[in-house]
Amino acid sequence: MASSRATQSVLLLTATLGLVNAVALPAATPAPARVEVRAPIVTPAAIRFDSRHSYLEKKDIINDIKSGVAGVAKSWESVIGSALPSFFTDGVPGWFEGLPTGTQVQSSLGISDSDLAAQPTQVLNVPPYANWTDQGWNVRFHGNVYKIPDISQSRVDELANVFLIDTEVSKLPADQQANARNLTRSIFIVQQGNVNVSLSLEPSPSQGGDGEPGGGNAIPAPGGVQNLTLPYETTDLGDFDVFVPIQSNGLLPGNQTTNVQRLNVYTNGTTTGNATAFLVPTQGITFISDIDDILRVTKIWDPKEGLLNSFARPFTPWLNMPDIYANWSRTLPNSTHFHYLTTTPEQATRNYMDFIYKTYPGGSFDTRPLNFSDISATLSIRMFLLQKVFKTFPQRKFVLVADTSNSDVMKDYPQLAHDYPNQVQCILLRNTSATDSSMWFPYNTEGFKGLNNKSYMFFREPNDLTGLDISNGQCLNTTIPQNVTFDRQTDGRFRLGSAGGKVQGSATISFIVALVAAMFMTL
Ligand SMILES: *[C@@H]1O[C@H](CO)[C@@H](O)[C@H](O)[C@H]1NC(C)=O
Ligand SMILES: *[C@@H]1O[C@H](CO)[C@@H](O)[C@H](O)[C@H]1NC(C)=O
Ligand SMILES: *[C@@H]1O[C@H](CO)[C@@H](O)[C@H](O)[C@H]1NC(C)=O
Ligand SMILES: *[C@@H]1O[C@H](CO)[C@@H](O)[C@H](O)[C@H]1NC(C)=O
Ligand SMILES: *[C@@H]1O[C@H](CO)[C@@H](O)[C@H](O)[C@H]1NC(C)=O
Ligand SMILES: *[C@@H]1O[C@H](CO)[C@@H](O)[C@H](O)[C@H]1NC(C)=O
Ligand SMILES: *[C@@H]1O[C@H](CO)[C@@H](O)[C@H](O)[C@H]1NC(C)=O
Ligand SMILES: *[C@@H]1O[C@H](CO)[C@@H](O)[C@H](O)[C@H]1NC(C)=O
Ligand SMILES: *[C@@H]1O[C@H](CO)[C@@H](O)[C@H](O)[C@H]1NC(C)=O
Ligand SMILES: *[C@@H]1O[C@H](CO)[C@@H](O)[C@H](O)[C@H]1NC(C)=O
Ligand SMILES: *[C@@H]1O[C@H](CO)[C@@H](O)[C@H](O)[C@H]1NC(C)=O
Ligand SMILES: *[C@@H]1O[C@H](CO)[C@@H](O)[C@H](O)[C@H]1NC(C)=O
């Protein structure tokens, strides 16, 4: 089967190239989770490694390897000896586009229709946001309807091993084995198209927790109880994503309250489709935050670590970032809203939600919908989701948070500041290469040219963010040297094509991850 072939190829490649990954496994960064879980908690699941970061740079790496500049292999095609998809050879990363869907899963794993029919229908209900309109509250319900086929554990392990470098499921500690299997089962699901989705809404009781009632002083909605059915059936890929004006039934109008109101959303027919909806006042500040390597430790630039951190190990907050968010949640005006936007494929996002709600202020979510799977969509997904939020809240101000290892962030965030100059309050970017020596990918600051240099900050660690007066637009901690060149930056660390052994090793490992994923796609 493709999976074992891929695994073997990787082992072969690893042996051929004599790779040694010299990076020691870091101890998990301890940080207490202090916020209580909200009432309808989403089901946790493990995560697939997502290496769409820095894809432009990976193109260069692949070119390097191709031309032998890195000195690793004369020709990687000859090493592999088989055709790869053209988008891969062209350097566009394909490994996150190829998650199998529906019939592919069913046919590749030999699951019969009747076996599948016997499985319960499940629903991923992504925590929605709502804006206030002439028709009242307008809620963006989005998510996916699917079934989990019954796959034997040995087959699951075989599939899971494809995601791991230099190890396998059987060698992981028991809790990590469980995560890896859970992740794999979450990916090998069969989406259900043409299904009607019915929801019921009711006030979400106080979340409790350490002075962070759901984020930005959100309150339980004082009404809103109702049942509704979405106006369209799910797409062929099982997705639903639609704004629905809901009945007021006692909700506070968005132009007459400064509090975010929380509604519980339950999906009829399953206990898997619970979420909290956030009804966001017309004016105020919305934090839009990426998750990997800014709210949690992923090390996406270091594939072996990134895979383990995403796939097997429990999610770990990044240093004291939860304290920074807790302080913003407590001290900024009641109208403050938190939105978590990850471009991880939706099948893999339950774990993200579970982690965020245990660790950071409650808020709405965006994940990568399944129909964003071709190459142009891959390059545009983050901007598509960001623009949707901006257009939904034309009177709100935004604080955009992420790290420099995302090449789409480095383009999209400053572009939004150019396009919506009155809406982008701050851009806060963790410079991952400043603190992590294994992050050697260049990043590009060209987009920041022409922006007010007090409206953004590159920072190194969470404490750099203390004491900012975000409400009044103070986004820059002037004690932090900025070093912005408005060009591709490497911070003196690395020049493509002239690497030392360490860099060369990382490049090759990145490449192998890409290879594994490309082969995984052929399932
Ligand atoms: C609040 O919004 C409603 C619906 O859009 C509108 O009819 C009403 O005039 C608004 N009230 C104020 C005070 O702006
Ligand atoms: C993943 O783990 C959670 C919590 O143990 C469980 O409820 C869920 O059903 C699992 N998901 C899969 C796909 O096995
Ligand atoms: C979904 O609901 C619509 C409207 O009630 C109905 O016409 C359609 O047949 C339903 N689809 C399914 C698959 O039940
Ligand atoms: C919503 O539907 C449930 C059954 O699915 C019912 O028990 C409940 O009374 C309904 N609520 C409203 C407000 O119609
Ligand atoms: C994906 O579906 C959403 C609606 O669910 C739609 O707005 C969007 O344009 C689609 N995107 C692509 C790339 O097909
Ligand atoms: C909820 O689903 C049940 C079957 O599971 C169905 O009988 C009922 O009509 C549905 N309720 C709504 C409000 O769609
Ligand atoms: C979803 O909510 C229902 C009703 O409160 C509850 O019974 C169920 O356990 C919840 N599901 C999860 C996964 O928490
Ligand atoms: C913020 O919301 C809380 C909870 O409803 C309320 O007690 C407080 O008065 C609000 N503060 C302001 C400034 O409106
Ligand atoms: C509410 O959101 C919808 C969907 O993005 C948007 O079309 C509409 O203009 C927004 N309404 C207001 C009053 O901002
Ligand atoms: C800017 O460069 C200096 C000197 O190399 C470094 O100490 C500092 O961390 C850099 N600033 C950021 C935000 O990376
Ligand atoms: C700026 O960053 C430094 C170093 O992390 C920190 O000690 C300080 O509190 C931050 N805030 C301000 C306003 O200087
Ligand atoms: C907490 O946030 C407020 C508002 O942004 C800010 O004024 C204050 O300095 C922050 N405190 C710390 C310790 O970061």
Side-chain angles (χ1 to χ4, degrees), residues 495-506:
R495 268 167 39 84
L496 285 171
S498 63
K502 171 74 185 350
V503 166
Q504 187 177 302
S506 295

Side-chain angles (χ1 to χ4, degrees), residues 40-43 266 271-272 274:
I41 179 176
V42 293
T43 316
Y266 301 100
T271 57
T272 58
N274 299 350

Side-chain angles (χ1 to χ4, degrees), residues 260-469:
V260 176
Q261 299 169 76
R262 281 193 321 267
L263 276 176
N264 279 354
V265 184
Y266 301 100
T267 309
N268 190 30
T270 177
T271 57
T272 58
N274 299 350
T276 304
F278 294 82
L279 313 190
V280 181
T282 306
Q283 296 184 349
I285 293 176
T286 290
F287 284 78
I288 302 183
S289 192
D290 190 29
I291 298 174
D292 286 310
D293 291 310
I294 181 74
L295 302 186
R296 80 174 187 101
V297 177
T298 310
K299 294 182 185 280
I300 209 121
W301 49 82
D302 184 346
K304 184 174 172 177
E305 282 298 293
L307 282 162
L308 284 170
N309 288 331
S310 297
F311 192 71
R313 295 179 185 144
F315 278 21
T316 306
W318 179 49
L319 301 172
N320 58 328
M321 204 58 169
D323 296 334
I324 300 292
Y325 271 71
N327 179 54
W328 285 339
S329 177
R330 270 194 302 266
T331 59
L332 287 169
N334 280 350
S335 56
T336 303
H337 160 226
F338 292 86
H339 183 67
Y340 300 96
L341 192 156
T342 172
T343 55
T344 296
E346 63 187 15
Q347 301 98 306
T349 49
R350 283 191 193 269
N351 220 21
Y352 279 77
M353 296 172 196
D354 182 60
F355 166 75
I356 290 293
Y357 291 130
K358 285 175 174 153
T359 319
Y360 287 96
S364 48
F365 254 86
D366 258 312
T367 63
R368 170 193 299 258
L370 284 180
N371 66 340
F372 276 87
S373 56
D374 67 21
I375 291 168
S376 64
T378 289
L379 301 179
S380 65
I381 176 65
R382 190 183 299 272
M383 197 53 149
F384 174 84
L385 296 173
L386 285 164
Q387 282 174 341
K388 194 175 282 218
V389 185
F390 272 65
K391 286 177 181 153
T392 303
F393 302 107
Q395 296 185 51
R396 293 184 72 82
K397 308 267 189 207
F398 294 93
V399 176
L400 307 175
V401 190
D403 78 281
T404 53
S405 75
N406 303 259
S407 48
D408 54 354
V409 158
M410 297 305 289
K411 221 170 66 215
D412 298 347
Y413 278 12
Q415 190 59 49
L416 285 162
H418 288 293
D419 294 348
Y420 301 85
N422 298 321
Q423 280 187 269
V424 175
Q425 181 97 340
C426 297
I427 298 176
L428 303 173
L429 289 168
R430 172 188 174 201
N431 181 8
T432 32
S433 61
T435 50
D436 195 312
S437 61
S438 63
M439 163 57 189
W440 53 270
F441 287 100
Y443 58 98
N444 197 327
T445 51
E446 194 179 355
F448 290 83
K449 209 181 281 177
L451 296 180
N452 173 353
N453 66 3
K454 296 197 168 51
S455 67
Y456 57 86
M457 170 165 71
F458 291 83
F459 66 100
R460 302 157 307 184
E461 48 134 345
N463 290 332
D464 296 353
L465 299 172
T466 52
L468 294 180
D469 187 0

